[in-house]
Amino acid sequence: MTSGAFVPSLACFLLIEWREGMVTRIYFSQDPPVDRSELALEIAAYLEWGAPCPKAKLDMSACTDFQKQIYALVQEIPRGETRTYGQVAERAARPGAARAVGRAMATNPFAILVPCHRVVAKKGLGGYLWGTEMKEKLLRLERESSAQ
């Protein structure tokens, strides 16, 4: 089942796929959802106004152990801050695994709740599945709402 909500400051919808009470995927879309999602509304409030980050049960059964470890570390990056791929790799006790961290970020199925947009390249923004413009918007939103 897919549900979602519009995020005005991003000018797109945040869609959430569910299975058996667990979130299997969170992503951005220009297409509206059939059903409205309370979780998507909470995530939008978190992004736009600095509301508390909502909790959800994430289905990580398709993720590797490395991805699970990296996703857990990325969830610890404070709102409004960034870390480099190399810093995340070092924190995972895997120095030299910056590219592997990048691959984990590129396949992150849980946008915002696993805030891969907070992981950047050593020199520059780095990539983002939904484009660097979206990554810049997310980081700017978080900095602005953290400063309030």
Side-chain angles (χ1 to χ4, degrees), residues 7-71:
V7 183
S9 56
L10 300 178
C12 67
F13 293 91
L14 182 72
L15 300 184
I16 302 175
E17 291 179 4
W18 300 84
R19 184 177 55 235
E20 298 174 11
M22 295 177 72
V23 175
T24 57
R25 186 173 169 222
I26 302 172
Y27 60 100
F28 301 104
S29 176
Q30 291 302 313
D31 299 324
V34 174
D35 295 315
R36 201 166 109 162
S37 166
E38 189 61 37
L39 177 59
L41 291 169
E42 290 174 15
I43 293 171
Y46 167 71
L47 284 172
E48 296 196 303
W49 304 298
C53 184
K55 303 290 182 212
K57 199 168 192 175
L58 304 177
D59 179 2
M60 292 201 185
S61 61
C63 300
T64 66
D65 288 341
F66 179 76
Q67 287 171 319
K68 291 174 191 175
Q69 178 189 21
I70 297 304
Y71 296 162

Side-chain angles (χ1 to χ4, degrees), residues 45-147:
Y46 167 71
L47 284 172
E48 296 196 303
W49 304 298
C53 184
K55 303 290 182 212
K57 199 168 192 175
L58 304 177
D59 179 2
M60 292 201 185
S61 61
C63 300
T64 66
D65 288 341
F66 179 76
Q67 287 171 319
K68 291 174 191 175
Q69 178 189 21
I70 297 304
Y71 296 162
L73 291 172
V74 169
Q75 287 177 303
E76 295 174 4
I77 301 171
R79 175 190 187 85
E81 295 183 21
T82 60
R83 301 290 184 273
T84 66
Y85 299 107
Q87 287 172 321
V88 174
E90 286 177 22
R91 184 105 161 71
R94 302 279 302 269
R99 286 184 185 201
V101 169
R103 282 190 298 278
M105 297 298 90
T107 58
N108 170 24
F110 309 109
I112 309 305
L113 294 187
V114 174
C116 58
H117 61 280
R118 294 180 189 157
V119 183
V120 298
K122 192 179 209 177
K123 295 180 182 176
L125 203 55
Y128 192 59
L129 182 60
W130 296 282
T132 55
E133 184 179 327
M134 178 65 81
K135 189 172 189 172
E136 287 173 335
K137 283 182 185 180
L138 290 168
L139 292 171
R140 185 176 54 251
L141 267 177
E142 289 188 348
R143 281 190 304 270
E144 289 170 357
S145 65
S146 293

